[in-house]
Amino acid sequence: MHDLIRDLRDQNVLLIHPRDRSADELLQQVNRIGCGFDHMWPVPRDLPDKFDMVLIDVTDQSATKLKGFLEKREKPVTIIAIIGYENPSVLNVILEIGAHAVLMKPVRAAGVLSSMLMARRYQSEQERFSKDMAKLREKLDNVQKVNDAKFILMRHRGIAEREAYDIIRKQAMTKRTTTTEIAQSIINAESILSNLGDS
């Protein structure tokens, strides 16, 4: 828990909200937590890279506009949506922009810290899940490449699957590279030969 709060204090927070009582309450609370913060209104054209977390009033806002604004930069940002009421269009905006937490107006000091902590944790888990999925996709892609290369060798040489794999593995060891790179070379060579046959 202490690590989460310490992590939160390292965050730079941007509040995008009309300057009213809710905005003042939020800025005071963010200041008490110890985060760096700034305030902007209306929604700016670009989201500066220095901000790690955005608390944004989504009431009467276009989901397309907000999504475009939040997705402009590569660095991920934690998003907390601020809403004045619940209806299908507002809920749709929250889902469309991928908000990690929601605060209801009028904003009270109680609940801001917990929303920020939950949002940070949710976003961290999302990032970890995305990285794990990318690794899994790459692994599956590499397995498919080796399988494709094995079948090419089996077809051209009339050999069994195990022997085809042994050839790929020995080539990888000899050339001090991976079986995936050897498999890709075999696939590329097959593609070139096929194209030559068509010309």
Side-chain angles (χ1 to χ4, degrees), residues 25-44:
E25 188 66 61
L26 275 167
L27 291 171
Q28 284 175 23
Q29 187 62 9
V30 169
N31 185 42
R32 281 189 206 111
I33 292 164
C35 304
F37 63 91
D38 203 347
H39 171 261
M40 292 183 187
W41 188 258
V43 177

Side-chain angles (χ1 to χ4, degrees), residues 19-110:
R19 196 63 190 254
D20 58 13
R21 181 180 260 173
S22 286
D24 290 340
E25 188 66 61
L26 275 167
L27 291 171
Q28 284 175 23
Q29 187 62 9
V30 169
N31 185 42
R32 281 189 206 111
I33 292 164
C35 304
F37 63 91
D38 203 347
H39 171 261
M40 292 183 187
W41 188 258
V43 177
R45 285 184 53 162
D46 297 302
L47 177 57
D49 283 338
K50 71 174 183 175
F51 294 111
D52 310 293
M53 181 180 290
V54 175
L55 285 76
I56 185 165
D57 186 352
V58 302
T59 313
D60 301 322
Q61 297 278 1
S62 155
T64 306
K65 180 185 172 185
L66 291 181
K67 202 172 174 187
F69 160 71
L70 292 163
E71 291 178 350
K72 260 184 186 176
R73 65 177 201 175
E74 289 181 22
K75 183 184 173 186
V77 64
T78 307
I79 305 162
I80 299 179
I82 304 164
I83 62 173
Y85 50 84
E86 289 178 325
N87 67 20
S89 63
V90 170
L91 296 174
N92 182 61
V93 172
I94 293 168
L95 295 172
E96 280 290 311
I97 66 171
H100 303 103
V102 177
L103 279 170
M104 194 82 185
K105 292 194 283 187
V107 175
R108 300 280 180 257

